[in-house]
Amino acid sequence: MESFVHEWINLLLRWIHFIVGVAWIGASFYFNWLENNLERAAPQDEGIAGNLWAVHGGGFYHLKKFKTGPQQLPAQLHWFKWEAYATWLSGFALLAVVYYFNAALFLIAPRATIPVGLSAPQAIALGVAAVLGSWFVYDALCRSALRRAPLLLAACVFASLVILAWALGEVFSGRAAYIHVGAAIGTMMVGNVFFVIIPAQKEMIAALAENRRLDPAHGENGLLRSRHNNYLTLPVLFIMVSAHFPSTYGHAWNWAVLAVISIAGVLARHYFNIRHCARAAVVLLPLAFLLMVALAWVTAPSSKPTAADASVGKDQIAAIIQSRCAGCHATRPTQPGFAAPPAGLALETHAAITANAARIFNAAAVTRSMPIGNLTGMTDAERETISAWYHALDNADDTTNGTVPQKKP
């Protein structure tokens, strides 16, 4: 029952996080599009910086942007901040439910190198410190002299995140390291909203209400942080779905894989930011695509088995699966924390094992992302045995059911 309740809490938090995240990112993308598509031709009203006509849902809309602000503030002014706060709160709660509730299973790396013997409380404390501490590092960079050199500042922020990904990968599982980097970026983004962007907007409103000159530094800081949030969005979105792609977080150089994917995301985001004013921007999307293709090629596993000449019987493989995998991948899992087999994959028969040979090979021998946390202690020799067994299936019929198993994708 505990596993069942935990699973439903996970589901509800994940759904909430997804919904409010869509609202936050959607609003960000919309206002970025709006800013880039305003008609800048001199309007009749000198106080207007631009306007835009749009049609949607069977109606016409006329939007205006003021250079500074209206002469009189409206009685009702809509703010865009709760989406950001709700996204962070739900995301942190989800982080705790998935990774901190079962730290030994999902959080700690099977072979942590620094420090040796990391306990669950220590790992949790390190994770929280990494997430919250990233904001202070990022905020310090933005307040330093680097703020006058935006590209250099962006490069330093990117380098700090790459270092964080590498460091977390030394003590956390690859999946947990990725999620914590995503949580750190999300904290930076919501910190920008809470500590910089919203206060700047409040100061702008107060200046208008008091009929005094607005300090331009507030707007400049808010614009800088808003721009950072815009470019960080796509890397965060990838990290949110990265748990489904063990070939990324399970790679030996997973931190570098994440860095390259993030660069591709930034290139794609930059295209949508500047396509209205730069024809040359059209090359950015193909460049991002080629970068991803190159990454896939470089990280592709070797097609040669590590023990190709080994004779592996179905009973030998079944014994490995039974002792190392069946605790989770069973109709009724015995591993605490699972109410049902992950991904609906039950490996309790020879037929089920053979039918899922490619998935077993990829998870156990290529990415080594399974067993989760390697709690069952799968050895290198057993992983090599699985590799040899899988490659042998490429050239032999499955004697258990007379069918030819699917080859590696």
Side-chain angles (χ1 to χ4, degrees), residues 261-291:
I261 292 176
S262 297
I263 291 173
V266 168
L267 289 175
R269 185 65 249 170
H270 191 53
Y271 163 75
F272 288 103
N273 286 343
I274 68 171
R275 61 175 179 167
H276 67 288
C277 62
R279 292 185 177 181
V282 70
V283 304
L284 293 175
L285 285 183
L287 181 60
F289 176 75
L290 290 176
L291 194 60

Side-chain angles (χ1 to χ4, degrees), residues 1 4 90 95 102 112 175 204 233 247 251 285 287 319 333 343 364 399:
M1 181 58 69
F4 178 78
S90 60
L95 180 69
N102 282 315
R175 176 178 166 183
M204 179 177 63
T233 300
S247 58
H251 195 274
L285 285 183
L287 181 60
T399 57

Side-chain angles (χ1 to χ4, degrees), residues 303-390:
S303 60
K304 297 180 180 179
T306 55
D309 57 346
S311 176
V312 182
K314 63 179 183 180
D315 291 335
Q316 185 179 355
I317 290 297
I320 294 174
I321 299 300
Q322 178 62 36
S323 61
R324 309 302 187 191
C325 310
C328 298
H329 292 284
T331 305
R332 294 185 176 182
T334 57
Q335 174 64 45
F338 291 93
L345 183 61
L347 303 174
E348 298 173 302
T349 65
H350 289 302
I353 292 172
T354 303
N356 292 281
R359 298 172 72 177
I360 295 170
F361 166 73
N362 188 60
V366 178
T367 66
R368 293 173 173 250
S369 57
M370 293 292 168
I372 295 178
N374 201 22
L375 284 182
T376 56
M378 181 177 284
T379 66
D380 289 340
E382 288 171 332
R383 296 183 192 277
E384 291 179 2
T385 298
I386 290 174
S387 178
W389 161 75
Y390 174 73

Side-chain angles (χ1 to χ4, degrees), residues 204-219:
M204 179 177 63
I205 292 173
L208 288 171
E210 299 168 8
N211 196 25
R212 59 179 171 82
R213 183 178 178 275
L214 176 67
D215 184 355
H218 292 288

